[in-house]
Amino acid sequence: RIFVGGLRKTTTEDRIHAHFARFGEVQNVEIKRQPDGSSRGFAFIRFAAVESVDRAIEAHARHMIDNKWVDVKRHDSDAHAAGPASMLRHDRKNEDR
């Protein structure tokens, strides 16, 4: 998963999905909302493949949604890691030995 921060309050799930689909198959877009339903200005995107996460992170300088630059970071709920997913796979392989 990736975290996307700095979104406009008016940005929709469909707009976020369309932006990130260029990096791979998007399984889910979840905009975090206030109790009244208004956007909190950030979202989480789940991709079908870890390689898509890598591509989205590597393209950090190209993330403009609704004419606003947004912040994109890795968000691994099971690892809480900030490194590339390829490093995670490598580390996990070494742990299994």
Coordinates of all heavy atoms in Angstrom, one line a residue:
R1 N 0.8 -1.2 0.0 CA 0.0 0.0 0.0 C 0.9 1.2 0.0 O 2.0 1.2 0.4 CB -0.9 0.0 1.2 CG -2.0 -1.0 1.3 CD -3.0 -0.8 2.3 NE -2.7 -0.2 3.5 CZ -3.5 0.3 4.4 NH1 -4.8 0.3 4.1 NH2 -3.2 0.9 5.5
I2 N 0.3 2.3 -0.5 CA 0.9 3.6 -0.4 C 0.0 4.6 0.3 O -1.2 4.5 0.3 CB 1.4 4.1 -1.7 CG1 0.2 4.4 -2.7 CG2 2.5 3.3 -2.4 CD1 0.6 5.1 -4.0
F3 N 0.7 5.6 0.9 CA 0.0 6.7 1.6 C 0.1 7.9 0.6 O 1.1 8.1 0.0 CB 0.7 7.0 2.9 CG 0.3 8.4 3.4 CD1 -0.8 8.5 4.3 CD2 1.1 9.5 3.2 CE1 -1.1 9.8 4.8 CE2 0.8 10.8 3.7 CZ -0.4 10.9 4.5
V4 N -1.0 8.6 0.4 CA -1.0 9.8 -0.4 C -1.5 11.0 0.5 O -2.7 10.9 0.9 CB -1.9 9.7 -1.7 CG1 -1.8 10.9 -2.5 CG2 -1.5 8.5 -2.5
G5 N -0.7 12.0 0.7 CA -1.1 13.1 1.6 C -1.1 14.4 0.8 O -0.5 14.5 -0.3
G6 N -1.8 15.4 1.3 CA -1.9 16.7 0.7 C -2.9 16.8 -0.4 O -2.9 17.7 -1.2
L7 N -3.9 15.9 -0.3 CA -5.0 15.9 -1.3 C -5.9 17.1 -1.1 O -6.1 17.5 0.0 CB -5.8 14.6 -1.3 CG -5.1 13.3 -1.6 CD1 -5.9 12.1 -1.2 CD2 -4.8 13.3 -3.1
R8 N -6.5 17.5 -2.2 CA -7.5 18.6 -2.0 C -8.7 17.9 -1.4 O -9.0 16.7 -1.6 CB -7.9 19.1 -3.4 CG -6.9 19.9 -4.0 CD -7.4 20.6 -5.3 NE -6.3 21.3 -6.0 CZ -5.8 22.5 -5.7 NH1 -6.3 23.1 -4.6 NH2 -4.8 23.0 -6.4
K9 N -9.5 18.6 -0.6 CA -10.7 18.1 0.0 C -11.7 17.6 -1.0 O -12.6 16.8 -0.7 CB -11.3 19.1 1.0 CG -10.4 19.7 2.0 CD -9.9 18.7 3.0 CE -9.1 19.4 4.1 NZ -8.5 18.5 5.0
T10 N -11.6 18.1 -2.2 CA -12.6 17.8 -3.3 C -12.2 16.6 -4.2 O -12.9 16.2 -5.0 CB -12.9 19.0 -4.1 OG1 -11.6 19.5 -4.7 CG2 -13.5 20.1 -3.3
T11 N -10.9 16.1 -4.0 CA -10.4 15.0 -4.8 C -11.2 13.8 -4.5 O -11.5 13.4 -3.4 CB -8.9 14.8 -4.6 OG1 -8.2 16.0 -4.9 CG2 -8.4 13.7 -5.4
T12 N -11.6 13.1 -5.6 CA -12.4 11.9 -5.5 C -11.6 10.6 -5.6 O -10.5 10.6 -6.1 CB -13.5 11.8 -6.6 OG1 -12.8 11.7 -7.8 CG2 -14.4 13.1 -6.6
E13 N -12.2 9.5 -5.1 CA -11.5 8.2 -5.2 C -11.2 7.9 -6.7 O -10.2 7.4 -7.1 CB -12.4 7.1 -4.6 CG -12.4 7.0 -3.1 CD -13.4 7.9 -2.4 OE1 -14.0 8.7 -3.1 OE2 -13.6 7.7 -1.2
D14 N -12.2 8.2 -7.6 CA -12.0 7.9 -9.0 C -10.8 8.7 -9.6 O -10.1 8.1 -10.4 CB -13.3 8.3 -9.8 CG -14.4 7.3 -9.6 OD1 -14.2 6.2 -9.1 OD2 -15.6 7.7 -9.9
R15 N -10.6 9.9 -9.2 CA -9.5 10.7 -9.7 C -8.2 10.1 -9.2 O -7.2 10.1 -9.9 CB -9.7 12.2 -9.2 CG -8.6 13.1 -9.7 CD -8.6 13.3 -11.2 NE -7.5 14.0 -11.6 CZ -6.4 13.5 -12.1 NH1 -6.3 12.2 -12.2 NH2 -5.3 14.2 -12.4
I16 N -8.1 9.7 -7.9 CA -6.9 9.1 -7.4 C -6.6 7.8 -8.1 O -5.5 7.5 -8.5 CB -7.0 8.9 -5.9 CG1 -7.2 10.2 -5.2 CG2 -5.9 8.1 -5.3 CD1 -7.6 10.1 -3.7
H17 N -7.7 7.0 -8.3 CA -7.6 5.7 -9.0 C -7.0 5.9 -10.4 O -6.0 5.2 -10.8 CB -8.9 5.0 -9.1 CG -8.9 3.6 -9.6 ND1 -8.7 3.3 -11.0 CD2 -8.9 2.4 -9.0 CE1 -8.7 2.0 -11.1 NE2 -8.8 1.4 -10.0
A18 N -7.5 6.9 -11.1 CA -7.1 7.2 -12.5 C -5.6 7.6 -12.5 O -4.8 7.1 -13.4 CB -7.9 8.2 -13.1
H19 N -5.2 8.4 -11.5 CA -3.8 8.8 -11.5 C -2.8 7.6 -11.3 O -1.8 7.5 -12.0 CB -3.6 9.8 -10.4 CG -2.2 10.2 -10.2 ND1 -1.5 11.2 -11.0 CD2 -1.2 9.8 -9.4 CE1 -0.3 11.3 -10.7 NE2 0.0 10.5 -9.7
F20 N -3.2 6.8 -10.3 CA -2.2 5.7 -9.9 C -2.4 4.4 -10.8 O -1.5 3.6 -10.8 CB -2.4 5.3 -8.5 CG -1.8 6.4 -7.6 CD1 -2.6 7.4 -7.0 CD2 -0.4 6.5 -7.4 CE1 -2.0 8.4 -6.2 CE2 0.2 7.4 -6.6 CZ -0.6 8.4 -6.0
A21 N -3.4 4.3 -11.6 CA -3.5 3.2 -12.5 C -2.4 3.1 -13.5 O -2.1 2.0 -14.0 CB -4.9 3.2 -13.2
R22 N -1.7 4.2 -13.8 CA -0.6 4.2 -14.7 C 0.6 3.4 -14.2 O 1.5 3.0 -14.9 CB -0.1 5.6 -15.1 CG 0.5 6.3 -14.0 CD 0.9 7.7 -14.3 NE -0.4 8.5 -14.2 CZ -0.4 9.8 -14.3 NH1 0.7 10.5 -14.6 NH2 -1.6 10.5 -14.2
F23 N 0.6 3.1 -12.9 CA 1.7 2.4 -12.3 C 1.4 0.9 -12.1 O 2.3 0.1 -11.7 CB 2.1 3.0 -10.9 CG 2.4 4.5 -11.0 CD1 1.6 5.4 -10.6 CD2 3.6 4.8 -11.6 CE1 1.9 6.8 -10.8 CE2 4.0 6.2 -11.7 CZ 3.1 7.1 -11.3
G24 N 0.1 0.5 -12.3 CA -0.3 -0.9 -12.1 C -1.7 -1.0 -11.7 O -2.4 0.0 -11.5
E25 N -2.2 -2.2 -11.6 CA -3.6 -2.4 -11.2 C -3.9 -2.0 -9.8 O -3.2 -2.4 -8.8 CB -3.9 -3.9 -11.3 CG -5.3 -4.2 -10.9 CD -5.7 -5.7 -10.9 OE1 -4.8 -6.5 -11.4 OE2 -6.7 -6.1 -10.4
V26 N -4.8 -1.0 -9.6 CA -5.2 -0.5 -8.3 C -6.4 -1.4 -7.8 O -7.4 -1.5 -8.5 CB -5.6 1.0 -8.4 CG1 -6.1 1.5 -7.1 CG2 -4.5 1.8 -8.9
Q27 N -6.2 -1.9 -6.6 CA -7.2 -2.8 -6.1 C -8.2 -1.9 -5.2 O -9.4 -2.2 -5.2 CB -6.6 -3.9 -5.2 CG -6.0 -4.9 -5.9 CD -5.5 -6.1 -5.0 OE1 -5.1 -5.8 -3.9 NE2 -5.5 -7.3 -5.6
N28 N -7.7 -0.9 -4.5 CA -8.6 -0.1 -3.6 C -8.0 1.3 -3.4 O -6.8 1.4 -3.3 CB -8.6 -0.9 -2.3 CG -9.6 -0.2 -1.3 OD1 -10.7 0.1 -1.7 ND2 -9.2 -0.1 -0.1
V29 N -8.9 2.2 -3.3 CA -8.5 3.6 -2.9 C -9.4 3.9 -1.7 O -10.6 3.8 -1.8 CB -8.8 4.6 -4.1 CG1 -8.5 6.0 -3.6 CG2 -7.9 4.3 -5.3
E30 N -8.8 4.3 -0.6 CA -9.6 4.7 0.6 C -9.2 6.1 1.0 O -8.1 6.3 1.6 CB -9.3 3.7 1.7 CG -10.0 4.0 2.9 CD -9.6 3.0 4.1 OE1 -8.8 2.2 3.9 OE2 -10.2 3.2 5.1
I31 N -10.0 7.1 0.7 CA -9.8 8.4 1.3 C -10.3 8.4 2.7 O -11.4 8.0 3.0 CB -10.6 9.5 0.4 CG1 -10.1 9.5 -1.0 CG2 -10.5 10.8 1.1 CD1 -10.9 10.5 -1.9
K32 N -9.5 8.9 3.6 CA -9.9 9.0 5.0 C -10.7 10.2 5.2 O -10.4 11.3 4.6 CB -8.6 9.1 5.9 CG -7.8 7.8 5.9 CD -8.7 6.6 6.4 CE -7.9 5.4 6.6 NZ -8.7 4.3 7.1
R33 N -11.8 10.0 5.9 CA -12.8 11.1 6.0 C -13.2 11.4 7.5 O -13.0 10.6 8.4 CB -14.1 10.7 5.3 CG -13.9 10.4 3.8 CD -15.1 10.2 3.0 NE -14.8 10.0 1.6 CZ -14.6 11.0 0.8 NH1 -14.7 12.3 1.2 NH2 -14.4 10.7 -0.5
Q34 N -13.6 12.7 7.7 CA -14.1 13.1 8.9 C -15.5 12.5 9.2 O -16.1 11.9 8.3 CB -14.3 14.7 8.9 CG -13.1 15.5 8.6 CD -12.1 15.6 9.7 OE1 -12.4 15.0 10.8 NE2 -11.0 16.2 9.5
P35 N -16.0 12.5 10.4 CA -17.3 12.0 10.7 C -18.4 12.6 9.9 O -19.4 11.9 9.6 CB -17.5 12.3 12.2 CG -16.1 12.4 12.8 CD -15.3 13.0 11.7
D36 N -18.2 13.8 9.4 CA -19.3 14.4 8.6 C -19.1 14.0 7.1 O -19.9 14.5 6.3 CB -19.2 16.0 8.7 CG -18.0 16.6 8.1 OD1 -17.1 15.9 7.6 OD2 -17.8 17.8 8.3
G37 N -18.1 13.2 6.8 CA -17.9 12.7 5.4 C -17.0 13.5 4.6 O -16.6 13.1 3.5
S38 N -16.5 14.6 5.1 CA -15.5 15.4 4.3 C -14.1 14.8 4.4 O -13.8 14.1 5.3 CB -15.5 16.9 4.9 OG -15.0 16.9 6.2
S39 N -13.4 15.0 3.3 CA -12.0 14.4 3.2 C -11.1 15.0 4.3 O -11.1 16.2 4.6 CB -11.5 14.7 1.8 OG -10.1 14.3 1.8
R40 N -10.2 14.1 4.8 CA -9.2 14.6 5.7 C -7.9 14.9 4.9 O -6.9 15.3 5.5 CB -8.9 13.5 6.7 CG -10.1 13.2 7.7 CD -9.8 12.1 8.7 NE -8.6 12.4 9.5 CZ -8.1 11.5 10.3 NH1 -8.5 10.3 10.3 NH2 -7.0 11.8 11.0
G41 N -7.9 14.8 3.6 CA -6.8 15.2 2.8 C -5.8 14.2 2.6 O -4.7 14.5 2.1
F42 N -6.0 12.9 2.9 CA -5.1 11.9 2.6 C -5.8 10.6 2.3 O -7.0 10.4 2.6 CB -4.1 11.7 3.7 CG -4.6 11.1 5.0 CD1 -4.6 9.8 5.3 CD2 -5.1 12.0 6.0 CE1 -5.0 9.3 6.5 CE2 -5.6 11.5 7.2 CZ -5.6 10.1 7.5
A43 N -5.1 9.6 1.7 CA -5.7 8.4 1.3 C -4.7 7.3 1.3 O -3.5 7.5 1.3 CB -6.3 8.5 -0.2
F44 N -5.2 6.0 1.2 CA -4.3 4.9 1.0 C -4.8 4.2 -0.2 O -5.9 4.0 -0.5 CB -4.5 3.9 2.2 CG -4.0 4.5 3.5 CD1 -4.9 5.1 4.4 CD2 -2.7 4.5 3.8 CE1 -4.4 5.6 5.6 CE2 -2.2 5.0 5.0 CZ -3.1 5.6 5.9
I45 N -3.8 3.7 -1.0 CA -4.0 3.0 -2.2 C -3.4 1.6 -2.1 O -2.2 1.5 -1.7 CB -3.4 3.7 -3.5 CG1 -4.1 5.0 -3.7 CG2 -3.5 2.9 -4.7 CD1 -3.5 6.2 -3.0
R46 N -4.1 0.6 -2.5 CA -3.6 -0.8 -2.5 C -3.5 -1.2 -4.0 O -4.5 -1.1 -4.7 CB -4.6 -1.7 -1.8 CG -4.0 -3.2 -1.7 CD -4.9 -4.1 -1.0 NE -5.3 -3.6 0.4 CZ -4.5 -3.8 1.4 NH1 -3.3 -4.4 1.3 NH2 -4.9 -3.3 2.6
F47 N -2.3 -1.7 -4.3 CA -2.0 -2.2 -5.6 C -2.1 -3.7 -5.6 O -1.9 -4.4 -4.6 CB -0.6 -1.8 -6.1 CG -0.5 -0.4 -6.5 CD1 0.0 0.6 -5.6 CD2 -0.9 0.1 -7.8 CE1 0.1 1.9 -6.0 CE2 -0.8 1.4 -8.1 CZ -0.2 2.3 -7.2
A48 N -2.3 -4.3 -6.8 CA -2.4 -5.8 -6.9 C -0.9 -6.4 -6.8 O -0.8 -7.5 -6.3 CB -3.0 -6.2 -8.2
A49 N 0.1 -5.6 -7.2 CA 1.4 -6.2 -7.2 C 2.4 -5.2 -6.5 O 2.3 -4.0 -6.7 CB 1.9 -6.4 -8.6
V50 N 3.4 -5.7 -5.8 CA 4.3 -4.9 -5.1 C 5.2 -4.1 -6.1 O 5.6 -3.0 -5.7 CB 5.2 -5.8 -4.1 CG1 6.1 -6.7 -4.9 CG2 6.0 -4.9 -3.2
E51 N 5.4 -4.6 -7.3 CA 6.1 -3.8 -8.3 C 5.4 -2.5 -8.6 O 6.1 -1.5 -8.9 CB 6.3 -4.7 -9.5 CG 7.2 -5.9 -9.3 CD 6.5 -7.1 -8.7 OE1 5.3 -7.1 -8.6 OE2 7.2 -8.0 -8.3
S52 N 4.1 -2.5 -8.5 CA 3.4 -1.2 -8.8 C 3.7 -0.2 -7.7 O 3.8 1.0 -8.0 CB 1.9 -1.5 -8.9 OG 1.6 -2.4 -9.9
V53 N 3.8 -0.7 -6.5 CA 4.1 0.2 -5.4 C 5.5 0.8 -5.6 O 5.7 2.0 -5.5 CB 4.1 -0.5 -4.0 CG1 4.7 0.4 -2.9 CG2 2.7 -1.0 -3.7
D54 N 6.5 0.0 -6.0 CA 7.8 0.5 -6.3 C 7.8 1.5 -7.4 O 8.4 2.6 -7.3 CB 8.7 -0.7 -6.8 CG 9.0 -1.7 -5.7 OD1 8.9 -1.3 -4.5 OD2 9.4 -2.8 -6.0
R55 N 7.0 1.3 -8.5 CA 7.0 2.3 -9.6 C 6.3 3.6 -9.1 O 6.8 4.7 -9.5 CB 6.1 1.7 -10.8 CG 6.9 0.7 -11.6 CD 6.2 0.3 -12.9 NE 5.0 -0.4 -12.7 CZ 4.8 -1.7 -12.6 NH1 5.9 -2.5 -12.7 NH2 3.7 -2.2 -12.4
A56 N 5.3 3.5 -8.3 CA 4.7 4.8 -7.8 C 5.6 5.5 -6.9 O 5.7 6.8 -7.0 CB 3.4 4.4 -7.1
I57 N 6.4 4.8 -6.1 CA 7.3 5.5 -5.2 C 8.5 6.1 -6.0 O 8.9 7.3 -5.7 CB 7.9 4.5 -4.1 CG1 6.8 4.0 -3.2 CG2 9.0 5.2 -3.3 CD1 6.1 5.0 -2.4
E58 N 9.0 5.4 -7.0 CA 10.1 5.9 -7.8 C 9.7 7.2 -8.6 O 10.5 8.0 -8.9 CB 10.5 4.8 -8.7 CG 11.3 3.7 -8.0 CD 11.5 2.5 -8.9 OE1 11.1 2.5 -10.1 OE2 12.0 1.5 -8.4
A59 N 8.4 7.3 -8.9 CA 7.9 8.5 -9.6 C 7.4 9.6 -8.7 O 6.6 10.4 -9.1 CB 6.7 8.0 -10.5
H60 N 8.0 9.7 -7.6 CA 7.6 10.7 -6.6 C 7.5 12.1 -7.1 O 6.7 12.9 -6.6 CB 8.5 10.7 -5.3 CG 9.9 11.0 -5.6 ND1 10.4 12.3 -5.6 CD2 11.0 10.2 -5.9 CE1 11.7 12.2 -5.9 NE2 12.1 11.0 -6.1
A61 N 8.3 12.5 -8.1 CA 8.3 13.9 -8.6 C 7.2 14.1 -9.6 O 7.0 15.2 -10.1 CB 9.6 14.2 -9.2
R62 N 6.3 13.1 -9.9 CA 5.3 13.3 -10.9 C 3.9 13.1 -10.3 O 2.9 12.9 -11.1 CB 5.5 12.2 -12.0 CG 6.8 12.4 -12.7 CD 6.8 11.5 -14.0 NE 6.2 10.2 -13.7 CZ 6.7 9.1 -14.2 NH1 7.8 9.1 -14.9 NH2 6.1 7.9 -14.0
H63 N 3.7 13.3 -9.1 CA 2.4 13.0 -8.5 C 1.6 14.4 -8.3 O 1.7 15.0 -7.2 CB 2.5 12.3 -7.2 CG 3.0 10.9 -7.4 ND1 2.3 10.0 -8.2 CD2 4.1 10.2 -6.9 CE1 3.0 8.8 -8.2 NE2 4.1 9.0 -7.4
M64 N 1.0 14.8 -9.3 CA 0.1 16.0 -9.2 C -1.3 15.5 -9.5 O -1.6 14.9 -10.5 CB 0.5 17.0 -10.2 CG -0.4 18.3 -10.1 SD 0.0 19.6 -11.3 CE 1.4 20.3 -10.4
I65 N -2.2 15.7 -8.5 CA -3.6 15.3 -8.7 C -4.5 16.6 -8.4 O -4.3 17.3 -7.5 CB -4.0 14.2 -7.6 CG1 -3.1 13.0 -7.8 CG2 -5.5 13.8 -7.8 CD1 -3.3 11.9 -6.8
D66 N -5.4 16.8 -9.4 CA -6.2 18.0 -9.3 C -5.4 19.3 -9.2 O -5.7 20.1 -8.4 CB -7.3 17.9 -8.2 CG -8.4 16.8 -8.5 OD1 -8.5 16.5 -9.6 OD2 -9.0 16.4 -7.5
N67 N -4.4 19.4 -10.0 CA -3.5 20.5 -10.0 C -2.8 20.8 -8.7 O -2.6 22.0 -8.3 CB -4.2 21.8 -10.5 CG -4.6 21.6 -12.0 OD1 -3.8 21.1 -12.8 ND2 -5.8 22.0 -12.3
K68 N -2.5 19.8 -7.9 CA -1.9 20.0 -6.6 C -0.8 18.9 -6.4 O -1.2 17.7 -6.6 CB -2.9 19.9 -5.5 CG -2.3 20.2 -4.1 CD -3.4 20.4 -3.1 CE -2.9 20.9 -1.8 NZ -2.0 20.1 -1.0
W69 N 0.4 19.2 -6.1 CA 1.4 18.2 -5.8 C 1.0 17.5 -4.5 O 0.7 18.1 -3.5 CB 2.8 18.9 -5.7 CG 3.3 19.4 -6.9 CD1 3.4 20.7 -7.3 CD2 3.8 18.7 -8.1 NE1 3.9 20.8 -8.6 CE2 4.2 19.6 -9.1 CE3 3.9 17.3 -8.3 CZ2 4.7 19.2 -10.3 CZ3 4.4 16.9 -9.6 CH2 4.8 17.9 -10.5
V70 N 1.1 16.2 -4.6 CA 0.8 15.4 -3.4 C 2.0 14.6 -2.9 O 2.9 14.3 -3.7 CB -0.4 14.4 -3.6 CG1 -1.7 15.3 -3.9 CG2 -0.2 13.5 -4.7
D71 N 2.0 14.2 -1.7 CA 3.1 13.4 -1.1 C 2.8 11.9 -1.1 O 1.7 11.6 -0.7 CB 3.3 13.9 0.4 CG 4.5 13.3 1.0 OD1 5.5 13.0 0.3 OD2 4.5 13.2 2.2
V72 N 3.7 11.1 -1.7 CA 3.4 9.7 -1.8 C 4.5 8.9 -1.0 O 5.7 9.2 -1.2 CB 3.4 9.3 -3.3 CG1 3.3 7.7 -3.4 CG2 2.3 10.0 -4.0
K73 N 4.1 8.1 -0.1 CA 5.0 7.3 0.7 C 4.5 5.8 0.8 O 3.3 5.6 0.7 CB 5.1 7.9 2.1 CG 5.6 9.3 2.2 CD 5.6 9.7 3.6 CE 6.1 11.2 3.7 NZ 6.0 11.7 5.0
R74 N 5.5 5.0 1.0 CA 5.2 3.6 1.2 C 4.4 3.4 2.5 O 4.8 4.1 3.5 CB 6.5 2.8 1.2 CG 6.3 1.3 1.3 CD 7.6 0.5 1.2 NE 8.3 0.9 0.1 CZ 8.1 0.5 -1.2 NH1 7.2 -0.4 -1.4 NH2 8.9 0.9 -2.2
H75 N 3.4 2.6 2.5 CA 2.7 2.2 3.8 C 2.5 0.7 3.8 O 1.5 0.2 3.2 CB 1.4 3.0 3.9 CG 0.6 2.7 5.1 ND1 1.0 3.3 6.3 CD2 -0.4 1.9 5.4 CE1 0.2 2.8 7.3 NE2 -0.6 2.0 6.7
D76 N 3.4 0.0 4.5 CA 3.2 -1.4 4.6 C 2.7 -1.7 6.0 O 3.4 -1.6 7.0 CB 4.6 -2.1 4.4 CG 5.1 -2.0 3.0 OD1 4.3 -2.1 2.1 OD2 6.3 -1.7 2.9
S77 N 1.4 -2.1 6.0 CA 0.8 -2.4 7.3 C 1.5 -3.5 8.1 O 1.4 -3.5 9.3 CB -0.7 -2.7 7.1 OG -0.9 -3.8 6.3
D78 N 2.1 -4.5 7.4 CA 2.7 -5.6 8.1 C 4.2 -5.4 8.4 O 4.7 -6.0 9.3 CB 2.5 -6.9 7.3 CG 3.2 -6.9 6.0 OD1 3.4 -5.8 5.5 OD2 3.5 -7.9 5.5
A79 N 4.8 -4.4 7.7 CA 6.2 -4.2 8.0 C 6.6 -2.9 8.5 O 7.7 -2.7 9.1 CB 7.0 -4.5 6.6
H80 N 5.8 -1.9 8.2 CA 6.1 -0.5 8.6 C 7.5 -0.1 8.1 O 8.2 0.5 8.9 CB 5.9 -0.3 10.1 CG 4.6 -0.5 10.6 ND1 3.5 0.3 10.3 CD2 4.1 -1.5 11.4 CE1 2.4 -0.2 10.8 NE2 2.7 -1.3 11.5
A81 N 7.8 -0.4 6.9 CA 9.1 -0.2 6.4 C 9.1 1.0 5.4 O 8.1 1.2 4.8 CB 9.7 -1.4 5.7
A82 N 10.2 1.7 5.3 CA 10.3 2.8 4.4 C 11.1 2.5 3.2 O 11.2 3.3 2.3 CB 10.9 4.0 5.1
G83 N 11.8 1.4 3.1 CA 12.6 1.0 2.0 C 11.9 0.4 0.8 O 10.7 0.2 0.9
P84 N 12.6 0.2 -0.3 CA 11.9 -0.4 -1.4 C 11.4 -1.8 -1.1 O 11.9 -2.5 -0.3 CB 13.0 -0.4 -2.5 CG 14.0 0.5 -2.0 CD 13.9 0.6 -0.5
A85 N 10.3 -2.1 -1.8 CA 9.7 -3.5 -1.6 C 10.7 -4.6 -1.9 O 10.6 -5.6 -1.3 CB 8.4 -3.6 -2.4
S86 N 11.5 -4.3 -2.9 CA 12.5 -5.4 -3.2 C 13.4 -5.7 -2.0 O 13.8 -6.8 -1.8 CB 13.3 -4.9 -4.4 OG 14.0 -3.7 -4.1
M87 N 13.7 -4.7 -1.2 CA 14.5 -4.9 0.0 C 13.7 -5.7 1.0 O 14.3 -6.6 1.7 CB 14.9 -3.6 0.6 CG 16.0 -2.8 -0.2 SD 16.3 -1.2 0.5 CE 16.8 -1.6 2.2
L88 N 12.4 -5.5 1.1 CA 11.6 -6.3 2.0 C 11.6 -7.7 1.6 O 11.7 -8.6 2.4 CB 10.2 -5.7 2.0 CG 9.9 -4.4 2.6 CD1 8.5 -3.9 2.4 CD2 10.3 -4.4 4.1
R89 N 11.4 -8.0 0.3 CA 11.4 -9.4 -0.2 C 12.8 -10.0 0.2 O 12.8 -11.2 0.6 CB 11.2 -9.4 -1.7 CG 9.7 -9.2 -2.0 CD 9.4 -9.5 -3.4 NE 10.3 -8.8 -4.4 CZ 10.0 -7.7 -4.9 NH1 8.9 -7.0 -4.6 NH2 10.8 -7.1 -5.8
H90 N 13.9 -9.3 0.0 CA 15.2 -9.8 0.3 C 15.3 -10.1 1.7 O 15.8 -11.2 2.1 CB 16.3 -8.8 -0.2 CG 17.7 -9.3 0.1 ND1 18.3 -10.3 -0.6 CD2 18.5 -8.9 1.0 CE1 19.5 -10.4 -0.1 NE2 19.7 -9.6 0.9
D91 N 14.9 -9.2 2.6 CA 15.0 -9.4 4.0 C 14.2 -10.6 4.5 O 14.6 -11.4 5.3 CB 14.5 -8.2 4.8 CG 15.5 -7.0 4.7 OD1 16.7 -7.3 4.2 OD2 15.1 -5.9 5.0
R92 N 13.0 -10.8 3.9 CA 12.1 -11.9 4.3 C 12.7 -13.2 3.9 O 12.6 -14.2 4.6 CB 10.7 -11.7 3.7 CG 10.0 -10.6 4.4 CD 8.6 -10.4 3.8 NE 7.9 -9.3 4.5 CZ 7.0 -8.6 3.9 NH1 6.6 -8.9 2.7 NH2 6.4 -7.6 4.6
K93 N 13.4 -13.2 2.7 CA 14.0 -14.5 2.3 C 15.1 -14.9 3.2 O 15.3 -16.0 3.6 CB 14.6 -14.3 0.8 CG 13.5 -14.3 -0.2 CD 14.2 -14.1 -1.6 CE 13.1 -13.9 -2.7 NZ 13.7 -13.6 -3.9
N94 N 15.9 -13.9 3.7 CA 17.0 -14.1 4.6 C 16.5 -14.6 6.0 O 17.1 -15.4 6.6 CB 17.9 -12.9 4.8 CG 18.7 -12.6 3.6 OD1 18.9 -13.4 2.7 ND2 19.1 -11.3 3.4
E95 N 15.3 -14.1 6.4 CA 14.7 -14.6 7.7 C 14.3 -16.0 7.6 O 14.3 -16.7 8.6 CB 13.5 -13.7 8.0 CG 13.9 -12.3 8.4 CD 12.7 -11.4 8.6 OE1 11.5 -11.9 8.6 OE2 12.9 -10.2 8.9
D96 N 14.0 -16.5 6.5 CA 13.5 -17.9 6.3 C 14.6 -18.9 6.4 O 14.4 -20.1 6.5 CB 12.7 -18.1 5.0 CG 11.4 -17.3 5.0 OD1 10.9 -17.0 6.2 OD2 10.8 -17.0 4.0
R97 N 15.8 -18.5 6.3 CA 17.0 -19.4 6.2 C 17.4 -19.9 7.6 O 17.3 -19.3 8.6 CB 18.2 -18.7 5.6 CG 17.9 -18.5 4.1 CD 19.1 -17.9 3.4 NE 18.7 -17.6 2.1 CZ 19.4 -16.9 1.2 NH1 20.6 -16.5 1.6 NH2 19.0 -16.7 0.0

